[in-house]
Amino acid sequence: MPRPITALDREQVRRLHAQGKARNEIARELRRSPSTVSKLAREQGLTFDRGPEVVAATEARRIDLAARRAQLAETLHQDAERLRAQLWEPCRHGAFGGKDNVWSEVQLDRPLFGDQRAIVAAAGTAIQQSLKLAPAEGGEGADQVRSMLGALGEALTRAADDEADDGGAE
């Protein structure tokens, strides 16, 4: 059987409401159900309507997330640029081999073709994801740029498929 509502309960609801506490917070503190707290508040003309605060908080959250997406998009573009720079940089290539499975390394003028292809694919993925997070603004030539990027992506895909067809020969 529920315990009876007292004048003290009504006073505590009024006091905690005045402190700006939420209905569920008051219910936990008083060890009453949220519906009982709502009933006591309604009897006293109090409401827990926080519509304007919720709208403001939601808008602030939306703005914060948009800023974070823009920052992540910028970081992904920087990643793509760093990857792109690796295409033609000297590198060290190593592998285990021989009957004793010994590690050997060789200094190369640039990455192997398969590695270059992987770099291009990773850079392309970084750019695509950054554009999903923060689409390029429209304007003159935006459709032309999208078309060019689409054609570039298709050409890279065809090149990757061609190499896969030749058994990975370099």
Side-chain angles (χ1 to χ4, degrees):
M1 179 168 188
R3 79 177 193 247
I5 296 173
T6 66
L8 179 60
D9 292 327
R10 286 180 177 84
E11 173 55 35
Q12 287 177 322
V13 167
R14 183 176 26 254
R15 180 178 51 79
L16 294 171
H17 182 275
Q19 292 176 7
K21 296 201 176 188
R23 182 194 66 170
N24 290 347
E25 192 176 1
I26 294 171
R28 279 190 297 276
E29 197 166 316
L30 299 181
R31 297 183 186 206
R32 291 287 190 167
S33 71
S35 62
T36 299
V37 172
S38 291
K39 176 183 172 188
L40 293 172
R42 194 171 39 254
E43 287 175 359
Q44 301 176 63
L46 305 174
T47 67
F48 291 101
D49 181 22
R50 294 180 26 206
E53 291 97 353
V54 171
V55 169
T58 301
E59 180 62 12
R61 177 80 170 142
R62 187 191 65 75
I63 290 168
D64 289 347
L65 289 174
R68 289 174 64 190
R69 279 192 306 274
Q71 180 58 46
L72 182 56
E74 176 65 27
T75 302
L76 285 166
H77 269 287
Q78 292 169 358
D79 292 345
E81 289 169 355
R82 283 193 296 272
L83 286 165
R84 170 66 179 80
Q86 291 179 22
L87 282 175
W88 309 108
E89 292 294 318
C91 67
R92 181 173 295 160
H93 180 75
F96 286 100
K99 69 177 185 168
D100 295 327
N101 203 26
V102 176
W103 178 259
S104 62
E105 293 181 353
V106 61
Q107 186 70 26
L108 302 173
D109 293 335
R110 65 176 190 251
L112 298 171
F113 179 77
D115 294 335
Q116 285 180 316
R117 190 179 70 197
I119 291 168
V120 168
T125 299
I127 291 169
Q128 286 176 340
Q129 295 307 313
S130 73
L131 290 172
K132 285 181 182 177
L133 290 169
E137 292 186 23
E140 293 212 21
D143 288 333
Q144 185 180 10
V145 169
R146 284 188 199 98
S147 177
M148 181 193 67
L149 288 174
L152 178 61
E154 289 172 12
L156 289 171
T157 300
R158 281 193 304 274
D161 289 342
D162 287 349
E163 183 175 321
D165 291 344
D166 71 6
E170 296 185 24

